[in-house]
Amino acid sequence: MLDQRLMADGLAIDFSHSSEPIARQVARGLRHAIVSLQIRPGEMLSEQEIASKLGISRQPVREAFIKLGEAGLVRIMPQRGTLVVKISRAAVEDARFIREAVECAVAREAARRADAKKVAVLTDSLARQRRALRAKDGGALFALDEEFHRLLAEVAGRPSAWNVIEDVKPQMDRVRYLDMADAIPMSIVIAQHAEIVEAIAAKDPGRAAAAMQAHLTEILRSLPKLADRYPELFEEVTAETSPL
Amino acid sequence: MLDQRLMADGLAIDFSHSSEPIARQVARGLRHAIVSLQIRPGEMLSEQEIASKLGISRQPVREAFIKLGEAGLVRIMPQRGTLVVKISRAAVEDARFIREAVECAVAREAARRADAKKVAVLTDSLARQRRALRAKDGGALFALDEEFHRLLAEVAGRPSAWNVIEDVKPQMDRVRYLDMADAIPMSIVIAQHAEIVEAIAAKDPGRAAAAMQAHLTEILRSLPKLADRYPELFEEVTAETSPL
DNA sequence: AAGCTCAAGTTACCATACTAGTGTCCCGCG
DNA sequence: CGCGGGACACTAGTATGGTAACTTGAGCTT
């Protein structure tokens, strides 16, 4: 189906080498376009429009929208339309809360189960991260960071934990993307990764969890600055009264 | 659309009072039917069959299947069919791992933020649980247990944490259902809930987390027994070699 | 001038039809 | 009797058409 590469509004999806369902590919492509801010927060999306621009039917696009809606990246309003939600500080902090809870537990578990081979897998990932840093390849670093955290879950024997992280992570990823655009030194991130690996190699669960917590706290530092610098990308903070 | 109550294979979905999308209702109905074991693990499902039995089209059923697939309750095999996955001890333990990580963090946070009003909400829930216990109303207890954990997330100011729990919980719910069928004393569960509330009221985060951990460890006791008693509901344990 | 009504346009939701991939069963061949 | 091949009966994936709900703005009433 459509052996070509299509372009639309900074949305490029390659259908050529695909035995994978189109719906999934569209979801991935849209997620990437949203996370990398090629589609601006607040923008309206239309099943019809995306479908015709990609040369496919509305059905797969619809399923992709549903997936993105569950990830909290778009808000799909029945009979009205679908819009890319703005970055919400509350949502980012909620996602961070989940990540901290899960990934600290993962780090602890990884430290308990560590052996030479598993540690080697992690140190190898670290080496690749350092190479990407020297090459100043931001995109590769982004992907390698993701892989590192996935590997941790595998090492801990809880690969399914990574699935949960993937569900909540997109909220944070847009902020991380802004971080990189502002050229925040990624060397710090890699140093934190190294500390985590070291703690795991030392079979010290407490230290591993602490290192992970420190790592995941990093985003809280940049969040206010970024919300200040790019106010149009963020939800205006409403002085809401908590239901409880 | 279809102002009637339909029945099919122990699957009852009421479409009458609904402004809610049909797809969502079907997903809920199917999830409940699977979790309550009205649909047996290992059974094959057919979009077509379910759709015609409910008097709707395949489309909403398909979307419901996708949701259940993401929850890990069904395995949807392209061009082949969709089957209700058997209970997997590994999957249950993975889900438990996630829940423990997230809910212990929630309990800690709730203890930090506790005030009189929030504690009152929780003690009120406890009272209702005790009433249901005296009335020996298993279904109500099941629902109240769910509500209690959701309230905890709200009290902690992390309502989105409950969404994550909802995603992984169905795996455990089938086991919990078997637990109830075996008439495991629910008084223990309620006592554990009470201990959690007490720790939160005392503003003791460490104790709250510990109480939650103890509560969520309970299922590990019954899991082997149930896997032994109902082998046909469980995946046979393959002596697989871990990839790492 | 302000507020209400209503018609037009757009949307997601659902139904229906079609496509393509996968097992199965039966028949014919070795 | 065993075994390979092909037609068939499924399946999920995709395309397309119809429908009800919602926004919007113009025109009317007060």
Coordinates of all heavy atoms in Angstrom, one line a residue, chain B residues 152-194:
Chain B
L152 N -7.2 7.0 47.4 CA -5.8 7.2 47.9 C -5.1 8.1 46.9 O -4.4 9.0 47.3 CB -5.1 5.9 48.1 CG -5.4 5.1 49.4 CD1 -4.6 3.8 49.4 CD2 -4.9 6.0 50.6
A153 N -5.2 7.7 45.6 CA -4.5 8.5 44.6 C -5.0 10.0 44.6 O -4.2 10.9 44.5 CB -4.7 7.9 43.2
E154 N -6.3 10.1 44.8 CA -6.8 11.5 44.8 C -6.3 12.3 46.0 O -5.8 13.4 45.9 CB -8.3 11.5 44.8 CG -8.9 11.6 43.5 CD -10.4 11.7 43.6 OE1 -10.9 12.4 44.5 OE2 -11.1 11.1 42.7
V155 N -6.3 11.6 47.2 CA -5.8 12.2 48.4 C -4.4 12.6 48.3 O -3.9 13.7 48.8 CB -6.0 11.3 49.6 CG1 -5.2 11.7 50.8 CG2 -7.5 11.2 49.9
A156 N -3.6 11.8 47.5 CA -2.2 12.1 47.4 C -2.0 13.2 46.4 O -0.8 13.6 46.2 CB -1.4 10.8 46.9
G157 N -3.1 13.6 45.7 CA -2.9 14.7 44.7 C -2.3 14.2 43.4 O -1.8 14.9 42.6
R158 N -2.4 12.9 43.2 CA -1.9 12.2 42.0 C -3.0 11.4 41.4 O -2.8 10.2 41.2 CB -0.7 11.3 42.3 CG 0.5 12.1 42.9 CD 1.1 13.0 41.9 NE 2.2 13.7 42.5 CZ 2.9 14.7 41.9 NH1 2.5 15.1 40.7 NH2 3.9 15.3 42.5
P159 N -4.1 12.0 41.0 CA -5.2 11.2 40.4 C -4.8 10.4 39.2 O -5.3 9.3 38.9 CB -6.3 12.2 40.1 CG -5.6 13.5 40.0 CD -4.4 13.4 41.0
S160 N -3.8 10.9 38.5 CA -3.4 10.2 37.2 C -2.7 8.9 37.6 O -2.6 8.0 36.7 CB -2.5 11.1 36.4 OG -1.2 11.3 37.0
A161 N -2.2 8.8 38.8 CA -1.5 7.6 39.2 C -2.6 6.4 39.1 O -2.2 5.3 38.7 CB -1.0 7.7 40.6
W162 N -3.8 6.7 39.4 CA -4.8 5.7 39.3 C -5.0 5.2 37.9 O -5.3 4.0 37.7 CB -6.1 6.2 39.9 CG -7.2 5.2 39.8 CD1 -8.4 5.3 39.0 CD2 -7.3 4.0 40.4 NE1 -9.1 4.2 39.1 CE2 -8.5 3.3 40.0 CE3 -6.5 3.3 41.3 CZ2 -8.9 2.1 40.4 CZ3 -6.8 2.0 41.7 CH2 -8.0 1.4 41.3
N163 N -4.9 6.1 36.9 CA -5.0 5.6 35.5 C -4.0 4.6 35.2 O -4.3 3.6 34.6 CB -4.8 6.8 34.6 CG -5.8 7.9 34.8 OD1 -6.9 7.6 35.4 ND2 -5.5 9.1 34.3
V164 N -2.8 4.8 35.7 CA -1.7 3.8 35.5 C -2.1 2.4 36.1 O -2.0 1.4 35.5 CB -0.4 4.3 36.0 CG1 0.7 3.2 35.9 CG2 0.1 5.5 35.3
I165 N -2.6 2.5 37.4 CA -3.0 1.3 38.1 C -4.1 0.6 37.3 O -4.0 -0.6 37.1 CB -3.5 1.7 39.5 CG1 -2.4 2.4 40.3 CG2 -3.9 0.4 40.2 CD1 -1.1 1.6 40.5
E166 N -5.0 1.4 36.8 CA -6.1 0.8 36.0 C -5.6 0.0 34.8 O -6.2 -1.0 34.4 CB -7.1 1.8 35.6 CG -8.2 2.1 36.6 CD -9.3 3.0 35.9 OE1 -8.9 3.9 35.2 OE2 -10.5 2.7 36.2
D167 N -4.5 0.5 34.3 CA -3.9 -0.2 33.1 C -3.4 -1.6 33.4 O -3.5 -2.5 32.6 CB -2.9 0.7 32.4 CG -3.4 1.9 31.7 OD1 -4.7 1.8 31.4 OD2 -2.7 2.8 31.4
V168 N -2.7 -1.7 34.6 CA -2.0 -2.9 34.9 C -2.9 -3.9 35.7 O -2.6 -5.0 35.8 CB -0.7 -2.7 35.5 CG1 0.2 -1.8 34.7 CG2 -0.9 -2.0 36.9
K169 N -3.9 -3.3 36.4 CA -4.6 -4.0 37.4 C -5.4 -5.2 36.8 O -5.5 -6.3 37.5 CB -5.6 -3.1 38.1 CG -6.1 -3.6 39.4 CD -6.7 -2.4 40.2 CE -7.9 -1.9 39.5 NZ -9.0 -3.0 39.4
P170 N -6.0 -5.1 35.6 CA -6.8 -6.2 35.2 C -6.1 -7.6 35.3 O -6.8 -8.6 35.5 CB -7.1 -5.9 33.7 CG -7.1 -4.4 33.7 CD -6.0 -4.0 34.7
Q171 N -4.8 -7.6 35.0 CA -4.1 -8.9 35.2 C -4.3 -9.5 36.5 O -4.4 -10.7 36.7 CB -2.6 -8.6 34.9 CG -2.2 -8.3 33.5 CD -2.4 -9.5 32.6 OE1 -2.5 -10.7 33.0 NE2 -2.6 -9.3 31.3
M172 N -4.2 -8.6 37.6 CA -4.4 -9.1 38.9 C -5.8 -9.4 39.3 O -6.1 -10.3 40.1 CB -3.8 -8.1 39.9 CG -2.4 -7.8 39.7 SD -1.8 -6.4 40.8 CE -2.1 -7.1 42.4
D173 N -6.7 -8.8 38.6 CA -8.1 -8.9 39.0 C -8.7 -10.2 38.8 O -9.5 -10.7 39.6 CB -9.0 -7.8 38.2 CG -8.8 -6.4 38.8 OD1 -8.4 -6.3 40.0 OD2 -9.2 -5.5 38.1
R174 N -8.2 -10.9 37.8 CA -8.8 -12.3 37.6 C -8.4 -13.2 38.8 O -9.1 -14.0 39.2 CB -8.3 -12.9 36.3 CG -8.9 -12.2 35.1 CD -8.7 -13.0 33.8 NE -7.4 -13.0 33.3 CZ -7.0 -13.5 32.2 NH1 -7.9 -14.1 31.4 NH2 -5.7 -13.4 31.8
V175 N -7.2 -13.0 39.3 CA -6.7 -13.7 40.4 C -7.5 -13.3 41.7 O -7.9 -14.2 42.5 CB -5.2 -13.5 40.7 CG1 -4.8 -14.2 41.9 CG2 -4.4 -14.0 39.5
R176 N -7.7 -12.0 41.8 CA -8.5 -11.5 42.9 C -9.9 -12.1 42.9 O -10.5 -12.5 43.9 CB -8.6 -10.0 42.9 CG -7.3 -9.3 43.3 CD -7.6 -7.9 43.9 NE -8.5 -7.1 43.0 CZ -9.4 -6.4 43.5 NH1 -9.6 -6.2 44.8 NH2 -10.2 -5.7 42.7
Y177 N -10.4 -12.3 41.7 CA -11.8 -12.8 41.6 C -11.8 -14.3 42.1 O -12.7 -14.7 42.8 CB -12.2 -12.8 40.1 CG -13.7 -13.1 39.9 CD1 -14.7 -12.2 40.1 CD2 -14.0 -14.4 39.6 CE1 -16.0 -12.5 39.9 CE2 -15.4 -14.7 39.5 CZ -16.3 -13.8 39.6 OH -17.6 -14.1 39.5
L178 N -10.8 -15.0 41.7 CA -10.7 -16.4 42.2 C -10.5 -16.4 43.7 O -11.1 -17.3 44.4 CB -9.5 -17.1 41.5 CG -9.6 -17.5 40.1 CD1 -8.3 -18.2 39.6 CD2 -10.8 -18.5 40.0
D179 N -9.8 -15.5 44.2 CA -9.6 -15.4 45.6 C -10.9 -15.3 46.3 O -11.2 -16.0 47.3 CB -8.8 -14.1 45.9 CG -7.4 -14.5 46.5 OD1 -7.1 -15.7 46.6 OD2 -6.6 -13.6 46.8
M180 N -11.8 -14.4 45.8 CA -13.1 -14.2 46.4 C -13.9 -15.4 46.3 O -14.7 -15.7 47.2 CB -13.8 -13.0 45.8 CG -13.1 -11.6 46.1 SD -14.3 -10.3 45.9 CE -15.6 -11.1 45.0
A181 N -13.8 -16.0 45.2 CA -14.6 -17.3 45.0 C -14.2 -18.3 46.0 O -15.0 -19.1 46.5 CB -14.4 -17.8 43.5
D182 N -12.9 -18.3 46.4 CA -12.5 -19.2 47.4 C -12.7 -18.7 48.8 O -12.3 -19.3 49.8 CB -11.0 -19.5 47.2 CG -10.8 -20.7 46.2 OD1 -11.7 -21.0 45.5 OD2 -9.6 -21.2 46.2
A183 N -13.4 -17.6 48.8 CA -13.9 -17.0 50.1 C -12.7 -16.8 51.1 O -12.8 -17.0 52.3 CB -14.9 -18.0 50.8
I184 N -11.6 -16.3 50.5 CA -10.5 -15.8 51.3 C -11.1 -14.7 52.2 O -11.8 -13.8 51.7 CB -9.4 -15.3 50.5 CG1 -8.7 -16.4 49.8 CG2 -8.4 -14.5 51.3 CD1 -7.6 -17.1 50.6
P185 N -10.8 -14.7 53.5 CA -11.4 -13.7 54.3 C -11.1 -12.2 53.9 O -9.9 -11.8 54.0 CB -10.8 -14.0 55.7 CG -9.6 -14.8 55.4 CD -9.9 -15.6 54.2
M186 N -12.1 -11.5 53.5 CA -11.9 -10.1 53.1 C -11.7 -9.2 54.3 O -11.3 -8.1 54.1 CB -13.1 -9.6 52.3 CG -13.3 -10.3 51.0 SD -11.9 -10.0 49.9 CE -12.4 -8.4 49.1
S187 N -12.0 -9.8 55.5 CA -11.7 -9.0 56.7 C -10.2 -8.6 56.8 O -9.9 -7.5 57.2 CB -12.2 -9.7 57.9 OG -11.5 -11.0 58.0
I188 N -9.4 -9.5 56.3 CA -7.9 -9.2 56.3 C -7.6 -8.0 55.4 O -6.9 -7.1 55.8 CB -7.1 -10.4 55.8 CG1 -7.3 -11.6 56.8 CG2 -5.7 -10.1 55.6 CD1 -6.5 -12.8 56.4
V189 N -8.2 -8.0 54.2 CA -8.0 -6.9 53.3 C -8.4 -5.6 53.9 O -7.7 -4.6 53.9 CB -8.8 -7.1 52.0 CG1 -8.7 -5.9 51.1 CG2 -8.2 -8.3 51.3
I190 N -9.6 -5.6 54.6 CA -10.1 -4.3 55.2 C -9.2 -3.9 56.3 O -8.9 -2.7 56.5 CB -11.6 -4.5 55.6 CG1 -12.4 -4.8 54.4 CG2 -12.0 -3.3 56.4 CD1 -13.9 -4.9 54.7
A191 N -8.7 -4.8 57.1 CA -7.8 -4.5 58.2 C -6.6 -3.8 57.6 O -6.1 -2.9 58.2 CB -7.4 -5.8 59.0
Q192 N -6.1 -4.3 56.5 CA -4.9 -3.7 55.9 C -5.2 -2.3 55.4 O -4.4 -1.4 55.6 CB -4.4 -4.6 54.7 CG -3.8 -5.9 55.2 CD -3.5 -6.9 54.0 OE1 -4.1 -6.7 53.0 NE2 -2.7 -7.9 54.3
H193 N -6.4 -2.2 54.8 CA -6.8 -0.8 54.4 C -6.8 0.1 55.6 O -6.3 1.3 55.5 CB -8.2 -0.9 53.8 CG -8.2 -1.4 52.4 ND1 -9.4 -1.5 51.7 CD2 -7.2 -1.9 51.6 CE1 -9.1 -2.1 50.5 NE2 -7.8 -2.3 50.4
A194 N -7.3 -0.4 56.7 CA -7.4 0.4 57.9 C -6.0 0.9 58.4 O -5.8 2.0 58.8 CB -8.1 -0.3 59.0

